[in-house]
Every structure is written in structure tokens, then in C-alpha cells.
Amino acid sequence: MKNDEVMNIAKKRGFLWSSFEIYSGSAGFFDYGPLGAILKNKIMNKWRDYYVVREGFYEIESPTIMPEEALKASGHVDHFTDPMTECKDCLEVFRADHVIKEAAGEEVEGLENEELTDILKDQQICCPRCGGGLSKVWSYNLMFQTVIGAKGKKTGYMRPETAQGIFIPFKRLLRFFRGKLPFGVVQMGKAYRNEISPRQGVIRLREFTQAEAEIFVDPRDKTHPRFAEVADDTLTLYSREKQVEEEGPVKLFAQQAVSEGMISSEILTYQLCLAKRFLDDLGIPDEVIRFRQHLPSEMAHYAIDCWDVEVETDRYGWIEIIGIADRTDFDLKSHSEHSKEDLRVFIEYDEPKTVRKLAVKPDMKKFGPIFKGDSPKIIKALEDVEASHVEKAFADEGSFKIEVEGKDYELSPDLINFEEKEEITRGEKIFPHVIEPSYGIDRIIYSVLLHTYTQEGERTYFKLPADIAPLEVSVFPLVNKESLAKNALHIKDCLRKEGIISEYDSSGTIGRRYARSDEIGVPFAVTVDHDTLNDDTVTIRNRDDSKQVRVPLSDVYSVLGDLVSCKTSFRDVEAEYKKVNS
RNA sequence: GCGGCUGUAGUCUAGUCUGGUUAGGACUUGGGCCUUCCAAGCCUACGACCCGGGUUCAAAUCCCGGCAGCCGCACCA
């Protein structure tokens, strides 16, 4: 299986391995080895290039430990849990709500554990497997809990997603962006989930790396100013309807997906295209990528539309590597309520709106003497009442009754004057909607390794794009002779000084060295041979087709620099320099 | 979390049933020889019984527990 071969090489050559191996390991944790760490950084930097440099979003960094209140507001403390119950006889563990639904047909989602326990007891629901008694219901929360401070009074959790770290300082971010929508903020970093039983290698980790962008937009305008740039991109879309009908996905132009209403908005579609381009840049081929729309049942209740970017694997089937959702205003609203901070944005109208309004104007000369000390309260209460209501009450009943702090007051028409007022509104405060592309970096790295892995007879290599390959250039002496070795070592050092990550290898024969270099996906190899000693030229070998060109030493650093940063292709270099026949 | 199977160098494996010399081999890796372009050959070195306890004169081998992996079930806001 391709998965096994790739993971073997990953382990052997220093990309990835499971953590804590000498203590027999712990499921759900992985180390990035020497090559893996470079690969990861390069992929993350490419992500930055896409989202920070080109999209103009800004990156922030927030703590991985969060106080309980923040995650209470986000809903994670209460809802990032499963209600569990255990059979006292066979010790099998079940989800309590599933057992009840199964046995009683009752929909009990969202009930408290005590209530679920009572239902189990009252209806005498038994273990579905052995018929034994069931324990009381407890919550299994997927967050890692910890304590903050020496006395451990304050509960904290490892963050289950990086997104919350962006919502919480929203007021400051809004000020940074000078109060104007739309704007985007990104965060890359670790997130933690204490999975019950992670058994899918790097696909299901307890500690993993996310790259998330939160794009805050005006809910009434979900167009994208640069949509034209992606309108002709094709997307493989597996819509809700197609899934329900059990048909396959369809290929559409981005433009079509919007006009046919398959994707809910232009801006969401734009994000899908961006994700597609990113994966393409990482060398993941089109055929193994599809966009799958969440079914209403699996979508978080607050989302309008959500698409998973999935990659096909031989080991795990289609796996989600990116989620792109329209989260609406759920998060900001919720943090607003819990923190009592106003997290809305003032949106100015193009034209100020003038509204003619009837206003109530109490006649204070009469009002004061009648109600004395209560007057201010009554007037305050009157401000919240529509003037037309008062007018109508006067017409229908001859007076207007109002209750303030439990006391009833009756106002006669002579106490109130009406006034036509002109009110100018320049805009309104709204909660922005959030478009969220959320990347699982570890899964992406796995996908990149899996899908760039290439086998040609005995030879295997990772067809990594040159700009993400961890080692960029290998330098070899053709044979292990002192004079050639000295030259090769010197070239390796010079390449490093030029910022190119290169390695020297003289072990075994030249063929073996190429093979070792290919296996870890080094895109180019420089070979020092006897001609080098005479005419100061070396050969540059291209990993993907083993073709070589002879290049003067004076050019070699700039040529390799351009190749490694993908500014030129090997084809271009072949056209310019002498090919080597071997 | 439950059940079944498995656990010997970096990798693949012999040995385990039937306890008994220094745990054997191949590939890989390091060093050397050779070698004028794609895993050749020769010499040489490094490297392992998952962990803990028990039985026994003696445990890789038998027993118990743990851990990890695989498969199935469950779980995956």
C-alpha cells in the first residue's frame, strides 16, 4: 500500500515518526523529523504567502491555553462533549443520547446529563449489547483540561481550534483595520483535542497544527472584488444534492457554481478556488481533490454553508484536509453576550437616511407636579415606546397606561404633545459574518507526501515542487577522489552561503547517491567530475527525469537559486545550457 | 473504551509450538578498497528479543499485567 511505503520512508529518512517511541509511544502524537520540520515550515510559509502577502490578511498569535470563560462563550465547554454511559456488566461504553434514541426513539440532543440519567433510569433502558444496567451519564469533553496559576483555582483548556484566538480580540483587530469591513486575520498554530481513540496516524492527532483565516464581511455583501481572477477556475464539487442522490461530484467553473447557487456566495467560492490553487502549488494533483458540501445534519447549527476539501488516499479513503465555512455571526454574537462587550461594526450608509418620525414630548409643566419624583422614570420609559402607540391609545381609550417598575401610571392626552422629528441615520451597527477557511497542516503534509510519491521501477522519489522540498540541492563527487571531493564540498558550502539548503554525499557509488537523494525528493543534484577540474563546469541533474545540463561554476549559484525558488523551470535551463548525454 | 490478532537491529525475517552454546541471515547505514554518471562488487564495523512481574537451575521461548500496532465495533462538536 502506498500509505505504508510513504510512511516507512518518512520514518526512515526523517520526515515523520510517532512521538515518545522509546517509551513505547502514545497514540495521537507525531514528531516532525529534520526533513519534516523544514517541509512543514516551507508549506506554512507558502500559506503565508497566499493569505498574508497576496490576500492582505494579517497574522496574529494567541495563547494555546485559554481560560474557561472564553471557551464557555464559544460553546466548547458545554458542547464539545459527548454524553457517555457505561454498562456496569460488560463495561462497554456508549453515547447516552444514542442509546436512548435507539431504545425509546426520543430525540434527546442537548439535554443535561442528569436528565439523560433520569431517562435511562425511568425507562429502564439497558445495555444494548448485554442487557446490563447502565451507569449515570457523564460528559466526555474532547478538550485537554489544565489549571492556571499556582493555587489551581482557575480552569483552563488547551485550545481546540485557533479561530477563537481571533474572535476574542476582535475589538482591537477592528480598530487596527480602522473599523472597515471586510478584513481578514489569520493564525497558524497548534490545537488540541483529546480524541477517544486516534488510530489513523497523522490523520487524527491529539495535538495538531491548524492554519485558519477568519474573514469578516458585511453580511449583506458576500461578493468578492477579485472574483474575476478565479471565475474560470474549475472545481470538483460534490454537492449536498449529489450526495443524497448518491451520484458523483460534478466539475464546474467557479462562475457557474455561483450562478447556479450551488455554493452560497461569491466570497466562499473565491476561498474554494484559493484552496485549490494552494494544493495545486504543493503538487497535489487535481484528480485526488474534491470539494464536499456538508449535509445539513453534519453542519454546525450556526453555519450557512460549509465545504470540506477532501483528498483521496488509499489507506483512509477521502479525508478532509481543509474546511471552508460561512460561520455567520455566531462567534462574535456569542462572545458579545458573554463578555458584555459590543463586538459589532458600524457600517455607514452610502447616503444618510432621513426618517420622519413622530416623537412623544411630555409637557413638563403639567407632568412634574402630577408625578413628582417618579417623572424621570416615566419619561425614560416613554422613550422606548412608539409614539404611534401612544397616539392610538389616546384615540381609542382616551388615555395611555404605562407600567414602570411594577407601578401603573395613566397618562392623559393633555400631558403629552407630539412632534414630527427628522432623524438622520448615517449607518447601523451589525455583527459581521465570518468566512473561515481552516487548514489541517498535518493532513496536508501527509497528502503532499502521499501524492508526490512516485515509483519508477526500483527508483522512488517525492515529486515535491522545488520550492517546498526540504533539501534543495545535493552535491556529489562523481567518484570519491580527493580532488573531486574537495571541489564538491566547497560548492556545497557556497550554496549554503547563497541560502540554498544543500548536502554533500560521497558514500557508495554515484548511482546510489542519486537514489538516496531522489528518495527524499531533492529536486536537483550537482555533480563534480573530471571536467570540472579542467573547465570549471559542473552538471545539474533534474530529479524528475534524471536529465543533466552542464553549467559553468560562475552561473551555477544563480541558476540553482532560480530553480529552487521556481523562478525558472529545468526546461528553461536545458534550453540555455549544454545537455549531457549519459 | 470493548473484542480478536501481533510485537526479534533502521527494514524484512529465522528461532518461540518442544525453555538450554556467543539470538542467525538479507537489505540498509558508517568506514575502507574499487569505480569517469544512475541502488554493481570486495573488506570491515555498528545495530535487536516492546516494558514490568511471575514460574524455573535456566525465559526471546511458558504464565500474568501493562504499552504499542493491526483488524472489527463504538466514537469523531
Side-chain angles (χ1 to χ4, degrees):
Chain A
M1 199 182 253
K2 207 168 161 189
N3 168 79
D4 303 351
E5 289 167 41
V6 168
M7 288 313 285
N8 259 335
I9 294 170
K11 206 186 286 186
K12 183 171 75 172
R13 301 301 306 274
F15 284 95
L16 276 173
W17 54 69
S18 52
S19 305
F20 317 117
E21 274 180 327
I22 64 166
Y23 298 109
S24 68
S26 179
F29 297 98
F30 265 77
D31 290 348
Y32 284 93
L35 297 183
I38 300 178
L39 179 63
K40 186 181 175 193
N41 281 328
K42 285 194 167 191
I43 287 177
M44 286 168 69
N45 281 333
K46 191 180 269 293
W47 197 87
R48 284 193 175 92
D49 185 45
Y50 265 72
Y51 285 87
V52 179
V53 179
R54 286 194 245 165
E55 292 302 305
F57 303 158
Y58 280 82
E59 181 174 356
I60 67 162
E61 190 176 317
S62 68
T64 57
I65 296 178
M66 297 177 67
E68 186 162 38
E69 304 90 283
L71 290 161
K72 194 104 188 161
S74 68
H76 285 91
V77 170
D78 296 322
H79 303 301
F80 198 55
T81 73
D82 296 324
M84 308 294 277
T85 181
E86 185 185 40
C87 171
K88 290 167 184 164
D89 294 339
C90 69
L91 299 178
E92 180 83 65
V93 174
F94 304 95
R95 269 190 62 166
D97 51 344
H98 287 189
V99 172
I100 293 171
K101 199 177 171 191
E102 199 64 19
E106 247 177 280
E107 189 50 72
V108 291
E109 214 184 290
L111 290 190
E112 295 296 320
N113 290 342
E114 289 73 28
E115 298 175 272
L116 293 171
T117 307
D118 289 345
I119 294 173
L120 287 176
K121 214 179 282 170
D122 294 347
Q123 309 208 7
Q124 301 187 330
I125 296 170
C126 302
C127 171
R129 177 154 298 188
C130 75
L134 292 169
S135 74
K136 71 174 200 189
V137 175
W138 77 92
S139 285
Y140 180 77
N141 191 297
L142 262 60
M143 291 193 291
F144 284 101
Q145 200 179 53
T146 186
V147 286
I148 300 174
K151 283 227 161 170
K153 281 278 154 52
K154 203 173 159 92
T155 301
Y157 297 93
M158 306 303 291
R159 64 179 177 197
E161 59 175 13
T162 58
Q164 296 306 324
I166 298 175
F167 297 132
I168 292 164
F170 179 74
K171 280 187 90 145
R172 294 212 177 270
L173 293 168
L174 180 64
R175 190 162 276 270
F176 172 83
F177 287 98
R178 294 194 283 160
K180 278 170 80 179
L181 296 178
F183 64 85
V185 177
V186 309
Q187 175 156 214
M188 314 187 78
K190 290 288 185 85
Y192 303 81
R193 298 180 186 183
N194 199 1
E195 301 288 352
I196 296 172
S197 176
R199 274 195 303 191
Q200 297 166 70
V202 79
I203 298 307
R204 196 164 188 76
L205 293 172
R206 289 190 163 120
E207 173 173 330
F208 56 101
T209 301
Q210 288 187 311
E212 295 191 298
E214 309 300 328
I215 307 158
F216 300 96
V217 302
D218 184 333
R220 293 160 303 190
D221 179 14
K222 290 187 178 174
T223 60
H224 194 287
R226 294 195 310 279
F227 188 73
E229 289 176 22
V230 300
D232 295 334
D233 285 15
T234 55
L235 298 169
T236 306
L237 298 168
Y238 197 19
S239 68
R240 233 171 250 163
E241 286 72 26
K242 293 289 174 195
Q243 291 170 59
V244 171
E245 291 161 15
E246 299 188 353
E247 285 177 39
V250 291
K251 263 196 163 181
L252 289 184
F253 290 112
Q255 181 63 65
Q256 287 176 286
V258 175
S259 61
E260 291 177 15
M262 188 180 279
I263 305 173
S264 68
S265 66
E266 207 175 90
I267 190 163
L268 202 63
T269 310
Y270 180 89
Q271 288 304 322
L272 261 58
C273 294
L274 210 59
K276 176 72 206 321
R277 288 182 176 197
F278 180 71
L279 296 177
D280 185 53
D281 246 9
L282 297 182
I284 300 177
D286 191 47
E287 317 85 74
V288 300
I289 299 172
R290 73 176 184 194
F291 293 81
R292 193 182 66 80
Q293 190 173 31
H294 274 203
L295 298 169
S297 59
E298 64 185 315
M299 198 157 61
H301 62 280
Y302 49 80
I304 290 177
D305 195 10
C306 183
W307 292 80
D308 283 347
V309 186
E310 298 184 323
V311 164
E312 193 172 24
T313 66
D314 59 347
R315 178 79 169 70
Y316 308 109
W318 288 92
I319 57 163
E320 176 200 348
I321 59 168
I322 304 170
I324 303 175
D326 185 334
R327 286 177 85 129
T328 70
D329 55 10
F330 174 84
D331 298 278
L332 288 178
K333 234 182 196 163
S334 184
H335 282 297
S336 222
E337 279 162 22
H338 282 80
S339 66
K340 309 271 184 275
E341 290 279 346
D342 186 1
L343 302 181
R344 291 178 301 173
V345 179
F346 182 78
I347 310 252
E348 200 170 339
Y349 297 138
D350 295 339
E351 296 278 317
K353 279 186 192 165
T354 323
V355 185
R356 297 188 70 80
K357 243 183 138 181
L358 199 62
V360 173
K361 218 186 161 203
D363 183 343
M364 289 315 290
K365 269 197 190 123
K366 295 175 183 166
F367 214 90
I370 294 175
F371 297 111
K372 303 214 163 65
D374 290 344
S375 321
K377 282 189 271 180
I378 301 168
I379 288 161
K380 191 105 201 288
L382 262 178
E383 279 172 11
D384 294 335
V385 178
E386 281 285 328
S388 55
H389 274 106
V390 183
E391 206 173 29
K392 192 164 182 291
F394 286 162
D396 293 354
E397 299 161 35
S399 70
F400 177 71
K401 293 190 184 71
I402 186 166
E403 192 194 305
V404 183
E405 292 176 3
K407 265 174 94 177
D408 285 322
Y409 300 93
E410 189 168 352
L411 311 181
S412 54
D414 62 308
L415 297 178
I416 306 285
N417 295 320
F418 292 98
E419 197 179 31
E420 281 266 315
K421 245 190 179 167
E422 251 189 24
E423 249 179 37
I424 298 169
T425 330
R426 299 194 177 275
E428 64 187 292
K429 279 182 151 185
I430 52 140
F431 284 107
H433 277 196
V434 174
I435 307 295
E436 179 196 72
S438 172
Y439 287 62
I441 296 295
D442 313 273
R443 292 179 174 191
I444 287 173
I445 289 170
Y446 171 77
S447 306
V448 167
L449 289 176
L450 189 73
H451 288 297
T452 57
Y453 179 73
T454 312
Q455 210 164 6
E456 284 167 10
E458 282 281 278
R459 188 168 93 103
T460 72
Y461 59 101
F462 291 114
K463 210 173 190 147
L464 295 168
D467 59 348
I468 62 163
L471 296 190
E472 295 163 343
V473 176
S474 297
V475 187
F476 307 129
L478 182 60
V479 291
N480 208 0
K481 286 260 158 51
E482 172 70 23
S483 51
L484 299 186
K486 230 176 80 189
N487 260 277
L489 265 173
H490 177 68
I491 291 170
K492 188 266 291 177
D493 287 338
C494 292
L495 281 167
R496 290 240 164 204
K497 277 182 198 149
E498 293 291 321
I500 296 169
I501 303 173
S502 57
E503 281 294 348
Y504 166 84
D505 185 3
S506 66
S507 172
T509 61
I510 187 68
R512 179 169 287 275
R513 300 198 278 258
Y514 286 143
R516 265 197 294 258
S517 171
D518 287 343
E519 190 180 45
I520 55 171
V522 184
F524 307 105
V526 167
T527 308
V528 174
D529 56 22
H530 290 83
D531 292 344
T532 309
L533 304 179
N534 301 325
D535 62 7
D536 277 338
T537 62
V538 292
T539 63
I540 298 177
R541 170 185 177 274
N542 188 36
R543 173 199 64 204
D544 294 347
D545 55 13
S546 309
K547 290 203 171 128
Q548 285 177 294
V549 289
R550 184 162 285 278
V551 178
L553 265 178
S554 51
D555 290 2
V556 84
Y557 303 106
S558 66
V559 168
L560 283 169
D562 288 349
L563 281 171
V564 157
S565 56
C566 290
K567 276 188 202 131
T568 51
S569 69
F570 194 76
R571 293 281 153 275
D572 301 335
V573 177
E574 271 185 317
E576 195 170 337
Y577 295 94
K578 209 175 112 197
K579 289 185 198 173
V580 177
N581 301 314
S582 55

